[in-house]
Amino acid sequence: MSLYHSTRSRAISRTSKEAIREGLAPDGGLFVCDALGAEKFEVSRLVDMSYSEIAQAVLEMLLPDYTSDEIAACVREAYEGTFASPEVTPLVPLESLGTGSIDSPVSVLELFHGPTSAFKDVALQMLPRLMARAGDADGDGRVMIVTATSGDTGKAALAGFADAPGCGITVFYPAGKVSHVQELQMTTQAGGNVAVCAVRGNFDDTQSAVKRIFADSALAERLGAAGWTLSSANSINVGRLVPQVVYYFAAYAQLLRAGTIEVGDEVEFCVPTGNFGDVLAGYYAKLLGLPVAKLIVASDANNVLYDFLTTGVYDRNRPFFTTTSPSMDILISSNLERMLYYLSDGDCELVAALMAELAETGRYEVPADLLARIQEVFGCGWASEAEVSDAIRSCWEGHGYLIDPHTACGYHVLERTPAAPGARARVLLSTASPYKFPRAVADALGLAVPEDDFACMETLAQATGTMPPAQLASLQSAPILHGDVVDVDDMGAFVERAALDL
């Protein structure tokens, strides 16, 4: 059976179930599997496969110690009746909606039809099901999910894990640095096993503190004595990452069915991302045999990934900007570590040294030959706040299609990046409903922007003839259930209290 180990060492092996249950490797690295890519997906099968069938096949390849029956049950529970579209992640061709400045054929992969109107739903409807079947060595014990969110992960994790048997969930978010709608989605979350807390700091502060919580052996011992094990719902958890691989294959299947491409044609994907998980899933799909021409990383003004992919220097010692795309306001991109591992041919020593340098100095530089390999796979671009606003307006005026600020970063980058050689189609991943960010979208369209987000939703709906998802509109009357705010140094104590109170 293929096993998982840390990006920083092969000393400890885990099954996929163990890796999912633990979340983070004991040495602080991320779990990877050296067998990734040894087995290839038969792309010719895709044209006749539903989303659930694709998910079944992909997850069986990536999580080998789960039985077929276990995967089938997880897929059924995660995707049947939980998404508004029967395709789960429908593909919308922009050229059919009008003429625009982006070279066709370009399509938008809508990842926001789940319970929280964000792409994180695709994975976070799956992860609790995988976690429930992971068990532990004794067949008992409870798992406390601890997650940092820059906006969307938190609510999607809460929606997936609320009242899940054998689990508790604690979500931290940076105070004042998520949208009002995103904050309400979290602070109104019901559930007897749920804790939500704002943190005085930015997302990177919050995410780094969560990693320290996982590395705190004294805390782990105290929680263990009370029957708790810590795990994560961030994309550092391989069980959160691998379900995202599925929608790249699903996009290809829809392109085949539409006649846009033929089997074997290469497709280029443009992915708005901050933590690198969403685009890394595309790299996993490429390793599994999906014909990917290029993966374009789209950043906002916090363009640390753009600089890295351009120069090979990763440097988080820079100003942090609060933008209209808060889920991408990140300077420490955790999943980049997995990419470095695979593209360095599994050089654990190099990865460990780079991560140590990042922790100590806030920067590192990769060797020139490694940068060249990275640039063969990944392109990049970024959008300023003004360019995000222009992209929202341009997409609406050119295509009659409404996008949120994160997707707008990708639209701007795709618009200005020549298609990769061999790409027969281009796909823009749309990561959230525009109604999660009504003020930014309305302002970009030149509409009046009421102070109240829900009044702004109504203004946007009337002006565009679109409708806000019901689960967002209903937040206006939902009671606030969580109001805690802590300093970064107090996050561990908050997790401990949350666990012991359950």
Side-chain angles (χ1 to χ4, degrees):
M1 181 183 296
S2 302
L3 296 175
Y4 282 77
H5 63 82
S6 170
T7 46
R8 304 178 191 182
S9 169
R10 290 181 173 81
I12 300 175
S13 295
R14 299 285 190 267
T15 67
S16 60
K17 286 184 176 181
E18 291 169 339
I20 287 172
R21 189 173 178 87
E22 291 185 30
L24 194 67
D27 62 0
L30 309 187
F31 282 115
V32 288
C33 180
D34 290 336
L36 177 63
E39 181 184 2
K40 302 297 184 184
F41 193 105
E42 293 181 25
V43 178
S44 60
R45 298 166 51 201
L46 285 170
V47 68
D48 297 320
M49 297 178 75
S50 68
Y51 192 96
S52 291
E53 290 169 336
I54 297 170
Q56 176 85 27
V58 170
L59 293 177
E60 284 185 7
M61 294 172 72
L62 294 172
L63 305 174
D65 55 313
Y66 284 82
T67 67
S68 292
D69 287 345
E70 286 176 325
I71 294 292
C74 290
V75 168
R76 184 173 60 253
E77 293 167 13
Y79 301 129
E80 290 187 8
T82 53
F83 285 73
S85 169
E87 292 277 8
V88 180
T89 59
L91 195 70
V92 178
L94 285 187
E95 67 269 23
S96 68
L97 300 174
T99 58
S101 57
I102 297 180
D103 294 335
S104 59
V106 173
S107 301
V108 177
L109 186 65
E110 294 185 341
L111 304 178
F112 52 78
H113 291 283
T116 77
S117 304
F119 81 99
K120 310 290 177 75
D121 288 325
V122 179
L124 285 167
Q125 283 297 304
M126 174 60 67
L127 180 58
R129 280 78 186 183
L130 295 173
M131 191 81 73
R133 290 165 177 84
D136 64 13
D138 301 317
D140 56 14
R142 295 177 292 175
V143 177
M144 171 57 77
I145 304 298
V146 182
T147 291
T149 183
S150 56
D152 287 331
T153 290
K155 174 58 180 179
L158 290 165
F161 280 97
D163 291 326
C167 289
I169 179 166
T170 302
V171 169
F172 294 104
Y173 67 94
K177 293 180 172 61
V178 300
S179 80
H180 182 53
V181 171
Q182 287 175 316
E183 183 171 35
L184 283 175
Q185 284 189 298
M186 291 183 280
T187 58
T188 60
Q189 176 66 52
N193 64 339
V194 166
V196 178
C197 187
V199 177
R200 299 181 185 95
N202 60 37
F203 173 73
D204 290 322
D205 301 326
T206 307
Q207 178 173 246
S208 296
V210 165
K211 289 183 178 179
R212 289 194 295 273
I213 288 169
F214 282 111
D216 187 337
S217 56
L219 174 61
E221 185 174 344
R222 293 194 300 274
L223 290 175
W228 287 99
T229 300
L230 293 178
S231 191
S232 174
N234 285 97
S235 54
I236 58 175
N237 191 317
V238 69
R240 168 55 205 284
L241 176 65
V242 295
Q244 295 176 257
V245 179
V246 176
Y247 49 69
Y248 285 88
F249 284 95
Y252 199 91
Q254 292 177 69
L255 288 169
L256 287 173
R257 288 195 287 270
T260 306
I261 61 170
E262 297 180 355
V263 172
D265 285 346
E266 292 188 342
V267 175
E268 184 173 49
F269 294 89
C270 183
V271 188
T273 187
N275 217 17
F276 209 76
D278 204 10
V279 73
L280 182 71
Y283 178 61
Y284 275 40
K286 180 180 176 72
L287 291 179
L288 291 178
L290 191 70
V292 176
K294 199 87 170 184
L295 294 163
I296 304 174
V297 174
S299 302
D300 63 14
N302 293 291
N303 57 2
V304 65
L305 286 172
Y306 171 83
D307 286 349
F308 170 72
L309 293 170
T310 303
T311 68
V313 176
Y314 193 98
D315 190 349
R316 63 175 174 84
N317 301 310
R318 60 177 67 212
F320 178 89
F321 299 105
T322 299
T323 74
T324 54
S325 47
S327 296
M328 293 162 61
D329 289 347
I330 295 172
L331 295 180
I332 303 176
S333 299
S334 293
N335 265 293
L336 201 61
E337 183 171 344
R338 281 192 173 105
M339 183 270 282
L340 292 172
Y341 174 82
Y342 284 114
L343 282 167
S344 67
D345 296 324
D347 191 337
C348 290
E349 291 75 16
L350 173 64
V351 174
L354 293 175
M355 295 304 104
E357 189 176 355
L358 179 65
E360 183 176 347
T361 69
R363 75 185 299 278
Y364 61 80
E365 183 172 2
V366 299
D369 59 335
L370 176 54
L371 176 61
R373 290 198 294 273
I374 292 170
Q375 290 174 335
E376 288 178 5
V377 178
F378 297 95
C380 60
W382 70 282
S384 68
E385 283 293 87
E387 288 166 337
V388 167
S389 185
D390 288 346
I392 294 170
R393 183 173 59 256
S394 173
C395 190
W396 176 251
E397 293 177 350
H399 302 285
Y401 188 79
L402 204 60
I403 56 176
D404 84 291
H406 303 76
T407 307
C409 291
Y411 185 98
H412 170 83
V413 170
L414 195 61
E415 201 171 26
R416 284 156 178 76
T417 304
R424 302 294 297 173
R426 310 181 87 189
V427 174
L428 170 62
L429 273 60
S430 183
T431 56
S433 165
Y435 282 95
K436 294 196 79 167
F437 311 93
R439 297 174 61 78
V441 175
D443 185 60
L445 298 184
L447 304 175
V449 183
E451 287 295 323
D452 178 72
D453 273 21
F454 298 97
C456 196
M457 284 186 193
E458 187 174 344
T459 296
L460 191 59
Q462 291 176 349
T464 62
T466 59
M467 289 290 291
Q471 63 264 32
L472 298 183
S474 64
L475 290 172
Q476 186 173 14
S477 58
I480 304 295
L481 301 176
H482 310 277
D484 290 300
V485 184
V486 299
D487 294 324
V488 170
D489 292 341
D490 295 326
M491 290 169 57
F494 184 89
V495 171
E496 187 168 6
R497 288 196 304 272
L500 297 180
D501 286 346
L502 290 180

